Amino acid sequence: SCLCGPAPCLLCCCCPSAKNSTISRLLFTLFLFLGTLVSIIMIIPGVEKELYKLPGFCEGSGSVLGLQTHVNCSSFLGHKAVYRMSFAMASFFFLFAVLMVCVRSSKDPRAAVQNGFWFFKFLVLVGITVGAFYIPDGAFTLVWYYFGMVGSFLFTLVQLILLIDFAHSWSQLWLRNADESNAKGWYAALCIVTFIFYTISIAGIVLLYIYYTKPEGCTEGKVLISINLILCLIVSVVSILPKIQDAQPHSGLLQASFITLYTIYITWSALANVPTQACNPTLLVRNSTSSAATTQVTTWWDAPSIVGLVIFILCTLFISVRSSDHPQVNKLMLTEESTARAGGEAAAVESGLYRAYDNEQDGVSYNYTFFHLCLLLAALYIMMTLTNWYRPDENLQLLTSPWAAVWVKISSSWSGLLLYFWTLVAPLVLPDREFS
């Protein structure tokens, strides 16, 4: 029955009671993480060499309209594997996003497909993945690269919304605890964490100036670092202005320091894609297979990619597990508080048979289509992260880092700062609206 049944049957007797909607989201997220793990394994040098054995994956993969092109894919086998794995995951989530359009409650027959048939869903994902590895190169790599850029930019915006919401919730929680208990201890904790965030941010800016700029040249890097530094100073000052404090008593430097730290990370990640070797110390390492030393292997893992992978995991789990404390964020992310009836959880616990209960009979607790679109964007984001935003050149011989990747990342950092600035000034600009 678990092959076709709903999510509750996947829980063992030791699992605590949980909402049906939460379990479904976690299982879809598990599919995404499973695809991510496969992608990571495929770019490990030892495994990457074994990809030669896949029929048609390297030799013959350059055929377009029956014409065989001479493509040396040895320098980006792992790159190709990640692209095709990402295409499979994106296609899988797009399929479910289309299937789940306008599902209003679990009474809709399509809700059973959303919350059940997990074995067959896994087979569908495997089938799409196998088919994706037979896609000929042609224009696929270039076209899918631009899909990845757009999807990564959009998912970065989703990450920024979640991080800003988390920062506001964090500050409100600690200030509320300060009002209810030991005020000095909680205020001291706020000051310490804020100081740590700003210290790391300042150290990061100094290191960016040292490693990603030169006394002569590297003008783009100097300008981008300076602009983001000024913008971070502006939002930090605005967050503690008296009028802002009167309109939003919970706003403060904790949120500003958190957003500043994330902005510095985005700046670092953008500068790591600068195609000028003199201004990017990591460029030569990443492009080692494209140089004369063809015996070396491509090094995909660097510090920006690892940090980005951690942030991706945390934000994806955040989307899957909980709703926000702020109604505006729930409205923006198309999620709601639980609509389960009061006796639903108690009945599930008493029965002992199905410890997951249906909390969506009166209405879904999250928008199914939007959730799958978020996972689709996450699949594109992890594709770009694992490949460091590199793409093969026109001759499919070298892996290059285009300036477009730099500007997409920098634009996302500016969008995040603008979004945070809006959360500060919105109560003053729109005094008739509720922003509590």
Side-chain angles (χ1 to χ4, degrees):
S1 62
C2 286
L3 299 182
C4 305
C9 72
L10 298 178
L11 293 179
C12 65
C13 59
C14 350
C15 295
S17 58
K19 303 171 186 175
N20 201 22
S21 60
T22 301
I23 298 173
S24 296
R25 282 183 287 179
L26 284 175
L27 288 174
F28 275 112
T29 304
L30 180 62
F31 281 8
L32 176 65
F33 288 167
L34 181 62
T36 302
L37 179 61
V38 173
S39 299
I40 293 174
I41 293 174
M42 285 182 173
I43 58 177
I44 296 175
V47 179
E48 186 178 10
K49 294 179 180 179
E50 297 298 319
L51 294 176
Y52 277 111
K53 299 178 181 179
L54 291 178
F57 186 58
C58 185
E59 297 298 333
S61 65
S63 60
V64 181
L65 299 178
L67 299 177
Q68 179 65 32
T69 59
H70 297 285
V71 178
N72 178 20
C73 64
S74 60
S75 60
F76 55 95
L77 273 176
H79 185 282
K80 290 179 57 176
V82 172
Y83 267 44
R84 281 151 178 77
M85 191 68 225
S86 171
F87 177 82
M89 291 190 294
S91 301
F92 176 77
F93 292 122
F94 179 76
L95 173 63
F96 277 91
V98 174
L99 289 177
M100 299 301 155
V101 172
C102 296
V103 174
R104 304 300 183 188
S105 70
S106 59
K107 298 176 183 178
D108 191 309
R110 290 175 294 169
V113 179
Q114 170 77 5
N115 299 316
F117 300 93
W118 296 102
F119 177 74
F120 296 103
K121 290 176 185 175
F122 179 75
L123 292 182
V124 170
L125 179 58
V126 171
I128 297 176
T129 303
V130 172
F133 274 79
Y134 288 94
I135 298 176
D137 284 319
F140 170 78
T141 301
L142 181 61
V143 172
W144 195 240
Y145 176 83
Y146 287 111
F147 268 96
M149 288 186 64
V150 175
S152 298
F153 176 79
L154 296 176
F155 187 74
T156 301
L157 294 183
V158 174
Q159 283 185 337
L160 288 165
I161 294 173
L162 297 177
L163 291 173
I164 293 173
D165 174 51
F166 173 75
H168 281 298
S169 299
W170 186 0
S171 178
Q172 290 180 13
L173 176 63
W174 281 18
L175 290 176
R176 185 165 58 247
N177 292 339
D179 294 336
E180 297 174 355
S181 57
N182 182 11
K184 291 183 178 180
W186 286 107
Y187 283 122
L190 275 171
C191 293
I192 292 173
V193 173
T194 302
F195 176 77
I196 292 175
F197 284 165
Y198 274 123
T199 301
I200 298 175
S201 300
I202 294 173
I205 292 172
V206 172
L207 292 175
L208 290 179
Y209 274 117
I210 293 175
Y211 289 102
Y212 290 92
T213 64
K214 300 293 181 183
E216 297 180 0
C218 302
T219 305
E220 297 87 352
K222 296 175 184 177
V223 171
L224 295 178
I225 298 172
S226 301
I227 289 177
N228 278 2
L229 173 60
I230 295 172
L231 293 177
C232 289
L233 289 174
I234 291 175
V235 297
S236 297
V237 172
V238 170
S239 67
I240 56 175
L241 291 177
K243 290 187 177 180
I244 300 295
Q245 290 290 310
D246 292 339
Q248 292 197 73
H250 292 104
S251 67
L253 290 177
L254 176 63
Q255 299 97 308
S257 65
F258 188 72
I259 300 303
T260 297
L261 181 60
Y262 184 74
T263 301
I264 300 306
Y265 157 70
I266 293 292
T267 308
W268 174 32
S269 179
L271 293 177
N273 276 107
V274 172
T276 307
Q277 182 177 331
C279 305
N280 184 359
T282 61
L283 185 66
L284 181 61
V285 177
R286 293 176 178 175
N287 228 12
S288 59
T289 55
S290 302
S291 63
T294 55
T295 56
Q296 298 181 0
V297 294
T298 308
T299 302
W300 295 114
W301 290 107
D302 58 0
S305 297
I306 294 174
V307 175
L309 181 61
V310 172
I311 296 174
F312 153 78
I313 293 174
L314 295 177
C315 289
T316 307
L317 287 176
F318 188 93
I319 295 173
S320 304
V321 173
R322 66 182 292 270
S323 300
S324 172
D325 296 329
H326 300 89
Q328 290 82 12
V329 177
N330 284 330
K331 184 177 180 180
L332 184 62
M333 299 297 292
L334 301 180
T335 58
E336 302 174 3
E337 295 298 330
S338 174
T339 56
R341 291 172 291 185
E345 182 174 3
V349 174
E350 289 177 3
S351 65
L353 296 177
Y354 296 99
R355 303 179 67 86
Y357 58 95
D358 186 1
N359 62 314
E360 298 181 307
Q361 293 183 0
D362 299 326
V364 295
S365 61
Y366 65 100
N367 186 290
Y368 290 174
T369 295
F370 183 78
F371 172 71
H372 289 297
L373 290 178
C374 285
L375 294 186
L376 185 157
L377 298 178
L380 296 175
Y381 174 84
I382 200 61
M383 176 188 78
M384 302 303 288
T385 300
L386 293 180
T387 59
N388 289 326
W389 294 67
Y390 273 46
R391 67 176 176 87
D393 63 359
E394 295 179 357
N395 297 322
L396 298 178
Q397 300 296 321
L398 304 177
L399 289 173
T400 60
S401 178
W403 273 104
V406 179
W407 291 113
V408 167
K409 292 182 178 182
I410 288 296
S411 300
S412 66
S413 69
W414 294 340
S415 300
L417 290 170
L418 180 62
L419 184 61
Y420 174 65
F421 180 79
W422 172 249
T423 65
L424 296 176
V425 302
L428 299 179
V429 177
L430 303 172
D432 297 333
R433 293 187 59 182
E434 176 62 32
F435 288 96
S436 59

